[in-house]
Amino acid sequence: MRLSFLVLLPVSAAKITPTGSTILLNEIAYYISPHSIGNIALEEHVLDGIESAFGFSPVSVLAQETRPDDLVSVFSTWNATDDVFQPGFAQLILNETQSLGTSTTQEVEIFTQNPSTVVGYVTKSKVPKGPYLLDKETGNLHQAYRLYDDFAGAFTEALLDNNDGTFQVLSAKVVGSATLTIGVPSRLYYEPSKEKPLAGVRIAVKDIFSLAGVKQSNGNRAWYHLYPPNNVTGTAISRLVEAGAVIVGTQKLSQFATSEVATVDWVDYHSPFNPRGDGYQDPSSSSSGAGASVASYRWLDAAVGTDTGGSIRSPAGVNGVFGNRASHGIVSLDHVMPLSEPLDTVGFLVRDPALWDKLQAVMYESNYTSLASSQPKYPTDIMTVTYPNSNTEAGALLNEFAAALAKFVGGSVTTLDVANRWTSAETNSHAGLNFTETFNITYPVLTGKGQDDAVVKPFFADYAKHYDGRQPFINPSPLARWAWAANYSWDEALQNKTIFAGWFNSQILPPVDDPLQCSSSLVLYAGKTGTQSPRNRYDIALPMPFTGFSAARMSVFSGCPDFIYPLGEVSRFSNLTNHDENLPVAVGILAAKGCDGLLARLAIDLVDEGILKVPEVGGSIDGSPILF
Ligand SMILES: *[C@@H]1O[C@H](CO)[C@@H](O)[C@H](O)[C@H]1NC(C)=O
Ligand SMILES: *[C@@H]1O[C@H](CO)[C@@H](O)[C@H](O)[C@H]1NC(C)=O
Ligand SMILES: *[C@@H]1O[C@H](CO)[C@@H](O)[C@H](O)[C@H]1NC(C)=O
Ligand SMILES: *[C@@H]1O[C@H](CO)[C@@H](O)[C@H](O)[C@H]1NC(C)=O
Ligand SMILES: *[C@@H]1O[C@H](CO)[C@@H](O)[C@H](O)[C@H]1NC(C)=O
Ligand SMILES: *[C@@H]1O[C@H](CO)[C@@H](O)[C@H](O)[C@H]1NC(C)=O
Ligand SMILES: *[C@@H]1O[C@H](CO)[C@@H](O)[C@H](O)[C@H]1NC(C)=O
Ligand SMILES: *[C@@H]1O[C@H](CO)[C@@H](O)[C@H](O)[C@H]1NC(C)=O
Ligand SMILES: *[C@@H]1O[C@H](CO)[C@@H](O)[C@H](O)[C@H]1NC(C)=O
């Protein structure tokens, strides 16, 4: 439409910023990115009669040098492997050519329902293959995003990656019950390369990482509303983005990354839904959105979480996916909200161990040795800590795994009693310290006080300044743990932690000099045993400090890597569905500090051996439907 009269207005009267649009193509919802990927010219009249919605028409761009004979197989591969492409994009097929005069327009039959037209185009841009929305008037090509409902309630914000280091909110909504809509770009646009090993990998990020252009919540509403959008993306996430990963949104966590029980503790935001079993089990915390989403959505490849005392391992375990607590210090935690700096780590929740290795190689750079293309010499010494016997279904799975692992590495299984080994004066200069007493409150002191200076004090001061001296609302769990820790000594707790690390990393799980072996032993413990924890419980204790020592604390104090592998499931009678339901069982596996790559490669090998399985999304790790 052309305006015949110009009305002159002050320049400041209307600032219009496009935020993308949505369409339905054959009843499937797509988002049209506001960013154009390139401009093309077509022969006149080829767009006549091509359907469009507010000026946009679905088209497909061919890879260079696609031959006419290959069209049927190319499109059937696209349709089978990419969740964004669909036959509706094949009505008009664009083939790059040197000049328009020489190109030919041909009708072809690819998908029987709708004939396709192949036309030549010229461009100065480099346009990757795949489905696009073509602006008929300007010739601009816009990327197509498939839209999905976040039915697990896992996300805090849906994001559009602007591909310039910044992000904006994805302005799209599909049908859903009080949920967000997440958009993912076509996988066809991306070719992994040496420079961009994660090209097109779809990743979600726990909402404690700063992303440029995005507001952060830390799981707290007052925080979200008080502060402006972040203006920087930290080291860990920047490395993923630079390697080609696509960040699709931020995800829920229990408040300030302290553990919370669903549903009672989750006052500010509703806890995400664990898809496994009866669909009403606690997704655990604090990387709750990460675990629930990776177990629910095939369209999401991985989620980034943090683990201070189990915040990746526990959600990975109960949601039935892989998850790693990384070696402490392996990557900078700049622009990540701290819980306890000496204990905080960044890691991933994933289904596919091969991708897991690639993600770690990118994020941890030179602090990670990928063994994906070498032949590891696995340690033959397997030790179990507080491992159950085989009298229960979960115990049987854990023991079968230990035996299968020992057979695979050609080793044997022994038991390790950490507290007992501590008392040996020959190997421990601190053996005189009572183990139980020394490590009873180390963790709750380090976490309860760890946010004081970096998070709590400045937040309370900023809030008070803004709201006439008021205090912000804090969920019961972080509030109780901060208050409990207030009267204990940080320095003493840090000293105890440091003593443990020195002993454990030299006497119990030392590294070995050979990078193909890396670790002297592998240590196993029961990650999760399929215990029910329905989210409609009222009968839970008030939030308490996490005192005492457990197998899951070994890596926390020593800084060694601690990976969760899903092993299988056990059947439990659910009194919510009046039916038996499957719940995941997981092993925790430790190697010496710095041996993260060994544990990722081991997961790949154990999948190849049939000892582990790649978990499916769904109501069970075999992929059954999710119950609602
Ligand atoms: C695309 O165009 C090139 C020449 O510009 C031609 O060789 C090729 O066959 C065309 N491909 C299709 C599928 O039409
Ligand atoms: C395209 O893929 C969809 C989803 O995988 C499938 O249901 C459909 O049958 C395929 N269509 C054609 C024409 O191959
Ligand atoms: C980025 O944000 C921080 C914290 O709000 C602020 O101190 C800083 O000035 C900002 N930097 C820029 C370049 O806007
Ligand atoms: C490797 O770890 C060290 C120690 O934590 C850290 O200082 C360094 O920045 C890390 N290197 C990379 C490439 O992240
Ligand atoms: C360590 O302290 C605990 C609790 O105070 C006590 O029960 C235990 O007997 C002590 N252990 C030793 C070896 O003294
Ligand atoms: C551990 O600490 C808690 C909380 O202070 C205390 O109640 C408990 O008795 C302690 N246990 C041991 C074995 O010292
Ligand atoms: C540290 O260890 C000492 C010695 O066993 C113990 O008395 C103290 O309670 C511990 N403190 C913390 C904070 O871990
Ligand atoms: C901490 O110590 C102060 C003063 O010593 C006391 O008033 C307060 O009740 C103590 N708090 C806790 C949680 O024990
Ligand atoms: C359902 O089972 C839980 C234990 O998983 C139990 O605490 C609760 O009382 C049971 N509820 C009913 C109504 O039986």
Side-chain angles (χ1 to χ4, degrees), residues 146-150 155 157-158 170 180-184 248-249 299:
R146 176 91 181 252
L147 294 173
Y148 290 103
D149 176 36
D150 174 28
F155 283 79
E157 194 71 279
L170 185 95
L180 294 175
T181 292
I182 310 299
V184 295
V248 301
W299 48 262

Side-chain angles (χ1 to χ4, degrees), residues 29-255:
Y30 292 91
Y31 170 75
I32 308 170
S33 167
H35 307 304
S36 162
I37 198 96
N39 185 268
I40 64 167
L42 296 167
E43 291 211 53
E44 268 179 64
H45 305 305
V46 298
L47 292 172
D48 294 352
I50 298 287
E51 278 190 72
S52 66
F54 45 90
F56 285 102
S57 297
V59 299
S60 286
V61 171
L62 292 178
Q64 277 186 346
E65 281 152 42
T66 306
R67 295 177 323 160
D69 289 353
D70 296 335
L71 286 175
V72 170
S73 80
V74 163
F75 279 97
S76 86
T77 305
W78 286 13
N79 187 60
T81 57
D82 179 37
D83 57 344
V84 178
F85 179 81
Q86 60 141 301
F89 285 102
Q91 202 186 354
L92 186 64
I93 298 171
L94 307 181
N95 182 33
E96 189 174 357
T97 183
Q98 295 304 319
S99 65
L100 286 180
T102 60
S103 75
T104 53
T105 298
Q106 46 177 148
E107 294 269 319
V108 289
E109 197 170 280
I110 296 171
F111 297 107
T112 46
Q113 314 89 304
N114 35 357
S116 305
T117 310
V118 183
V119 302
Y121 73 93
V122 293
T123 187
K124 293 201 177 75
S125 323
K126 194 165 162 14
V127 182
K129 68 179 186 302
Y132 289 91
L133 280 307
L134 172 67
D135 183 333
K136 284 172 81 170
E137 193 173 337
T138 61
N140 285 337
L141 282 171
H142 294 249
Q143 287 188 333
Y145 285 62
R146 176 91 181 252
L147 294 173
Y148 290 103
D149 176 36
D150 174 28
F151 57 77
F155 283 79
T156 50
E157 194 71 279
L159 296 177
L160 172 68
D161 193 326
N162 290 327
N163 289 319
D164 64 355
T166 69
F167 305 86
Q168 68 181 68
V169 170
L170 185 95
S171 65
K173 180 74 181 81
V174 295
V175 175
S177 178
T179 50
L180 294 175
T181 292
I182 310 299
V184 295
S186 168
R187 295 189 187 278
L188 296 169
Y189 306 143
Y190 305 96
E191 302 279 355
S193 63
K194 205 160 174 294
E195 294 69 39
K196 303 257 179 226
L198 301 181
V201 174
R202 302 159 179 178
I203 296 179
V205 175
K206 186 174 182 174
D207 194 2
I208 62 172
F209 288 82
S210 169
L211 299 175
V214 181
K215 276 173 82 81
Q216 183 175 331
S217 77
N218 296 332
N220 179 273
R221 288 172 77 234
W223 185 289
Y224 178 87
H225 288 284
L226 185 63
Y227 292 112
N230 290 312
N231 54 21
V232 58
T233 304
T235 302
I237 305 301
S238 291
R239 287 181 182 172
L240 299 178
V241 171
E242 278 154 26
V246 179
I247 306 298
V248 301
T250 50
Q251 296 194 311
K252 283 184 192 162
L253 64 145
S254 47
Q255 197 169 87

Side-chain angles (χ1 to χ4, degrees), residues 507-549:
Q507 301 303 323
I508 304 297
L509 194 51
V512 299
D513 216 0
D514 180 352
L516 292 175
Q517 183 186 338
C518 198
S519 183
S520 51
S521 315
L522 296 170
V523 177
L524 309 182
Y525 67 97
K528 291 291 168 190
T529 54
T531 308
Q532 288 175 317
S533 181
R535 52 187 291 151
N536 60 339
R537 290 163 55 200
Y538 284 86
D539 61 333
I540 66 155
L542 289 174
M544 295 287 286
F546 285 104
T547 55
F549 189 83

